[in-house]
Amino acid sequence: MSTRSDRRTRVTVLVALGANVVIAAAKAVGGLAVASPALLSEAAHSVADSMNEVFLLAALRRSRRPPDRRHPFGYGKERFFWSLLAAVGIFVMGGCFSFYQGVEALRGGGAEDLGGYVAGLVVLGVALLAEGGSLLRALYQVRKQGGAGSGLRDPALRTVVAEDGTAVLGVTLAAAGMVLHMVTGQVVWEAAASFAIGALLVYVAYRLGRDARAQLVGEAADPEASERIRALLRAQPEIDSVEALFTMKTGLDTALVAARVDLAPGMDSERVEDVAVRIKQSIADVVPEAEQIFLDVTDHRAPEAREAWESPAATGERGGA
């Protein structure tokens, strides 16, 4: 993903952060003033979203650091780590607090004076507009970056879309619970809204956390990219067979490629090295995200050919050829 895309994502995250900070304060004040469990649940939701956007800003900055001695494959996976923290934040600060508010509402009976609920509903109306605007901004960027398939590869952008979409639905649930409480006088409606908001946040946190976990533990590159690499290797006249092909995402738009191949007989060491360099460059051209490419030959090859195949010029990071 380009630096320009990162800048657009940063703007999207900042828009969401600004909206959530203001909304969280308004919801908290309104919820405390009228003792509305649904409104307080939504306040906790917005606080969690605000903290998560701080995590996402850290992810955008730290994941672009260049490789160094301690991290030779770079810091691309920082993007996934901070996204995992954001998922945990949604679960703990948003989901658990919403369940707590629902339980407290059932135990305590809720507010006796519902006069302030009109102001609370106004707060939720403003929040709906702000969250909707932030969601539209995020969806616009997704479309600019290639639609749901490509645009949502970025965990930072995916988290913002999930948070804003959940926020719009959460505000709607909270408003419905408050209105039904006002009409019926039964706090159970607000408790139900709090439980629904909590369940929604836990589900979103689970989905985001599952995706981040898969990428942190070493998820393979896109299957289509792997098939392109395999087809390219099989098409080389110097390769008899592809014994194994391994790929792993090392960042949002970078991957490691390792292939074990059986070479055709009769090549001298110098030709083997030239072939390896050419194949490595071909892989980099076909799959631009292949930042590190390693080629290995099966053991039955002649020792001198194997040594040439594994030389620094024939294997290692892209650009070394």
Side-chain angles (χ1 to χ4, degrees):
M1 185 169 291
S2 65
T3 304
R4 179 180 297 178
S5 295
D6 267 6
R7 284 198 296 265
R8 288 199 296 260
T9 300
R10 186 175 292 106
V11 171
T12 299
V13 174
L14 286 171
V15 168
L17 175 60
N20 277 313
V21 168
V22 174
I23 292 166
K27 288 176 181 176
V29 171
L32 291 171
V34 301
S36 166
L39 194 50
L40 287 173
S41 295
E42 270 302 295
H45 181 180
S46 294
V47 170
D49 286 352
S50 300
M51 291 297 297
N52 293 338
E53 267 114 36
V54 174
F55 291 154
L56 298 180
L57 290 173
L60 292 172
R61 181 176 62 85
R62 296 177 64 87
S63 65
R64 288 299 177 182
R65 289 182 294 170
D68 54 34
R69 181 175 296 180
R70 288 178 59 86
H71 298 87
F73 296 114
Y75 291 82
K77 288 195 174 185
E78 287 248 19
R79 205 121 171 176
F80 312 133
F81 169 74
W82 291 99
S83 297
L84 179 61
L85 288 187
V88 173
I90 293 173
F91 178 83
V92 175
M93 298 179 64
C96 292
F97 186 79
S98 296
F99 282 122
Y100 169 78
Q101 283 298 315
V103 171
E104 285 297 300
L106 292 177
R107 290 177 57 190
E112 296 295 334
D113 182 12
L114 301 180
Y117 269 44
V118 174
L121 289 171
V122 171
V123 169
L124 288 178
V126 173
L128 183 62
L129 292 175
E131 298 284 13
S134 179
L135 177 61
L136 289 175
R137 160 74 199 190
L139 292 175
Y140 171 77
Q141 186 180 340
V142 170
R143 186 174 64 83
K144 290 283 287 184
Q145 291 181 195
S150 300
L152 291 180
R153 287 192 312 113
D154 185 347
L157 183 56
R158 184 168 62 243
T159 301
V160 172
V161 171
E163 286 181 348
D164 288 344
T166 304
V168 169
L169 185 53
V171 167
T172 304
L173 289 170
M178 292 176 68
V179 168
L180 288 170
H181 185 185
M182 293 174 65
V183 171
T184 65
Q186 300 295 318
V187 73
V188 68
W189 293 108
E190 281 203 77
S194 294
F195 287 133
I197 293 168
L200 179 64
L201 292 175
V202 167
Y203 173 73
V204 170
Y206 165 74
R207 291 294 301 269
L208 293 174
R210 185 187 64 178
D211 292 343
R213 173 185 173 276
Q215 292 163 325
L216 279 173
V217 299
E219 186 177 45
D222 181 70
E224 183 181 348
S226 297
E227 283 305 311
R228 290 202 305 269
I229 296 171
R230 190 180 297 275
L232 184 148
L233 292 173
R234 287 173 172 168
Q236 305 304 311
E238 299 86 358
I239 294 179
D240 268 355
S241 63
V242 179
E243 302 297 327
L245 175 64
F246 305 98
T247 63
M248 183 180 70
K249 292 181 180 178
T250 56
L252 181 61
D253 52 5
T254 58
L256 179 149
V257 176
R260 184 179 300 120
V261 298
D262 183 9
L263 294 178
M267 289 191 291
D268 58 33
S269 299
E270 184 175 346
R271 187 185 174 200
V272 167
E273 185 169 337
D274 290 341
V275 167
V277 171
R278 174 174 56 78
I279 292 175
K280 185 166 90 66
Q281 186 57 52
S282 297
I283 293 174
D285 292 339
V286 170
V287 182
E289 61 265 33
E291 192 170 73
Q292 290 90 19
I293 303 170
F294 300 90
L295 301 174
D296 185 27
V297 65
T298 49
D299 291 338
H300 68 271
R301 288 292 307 163
E304 64 274 10
R306 180 179 177 84
E307 188 175 319
W309 187 259
E310 295 176 346
S311 68
T315 185
E317 292 190 10
R318 199 173 88 187

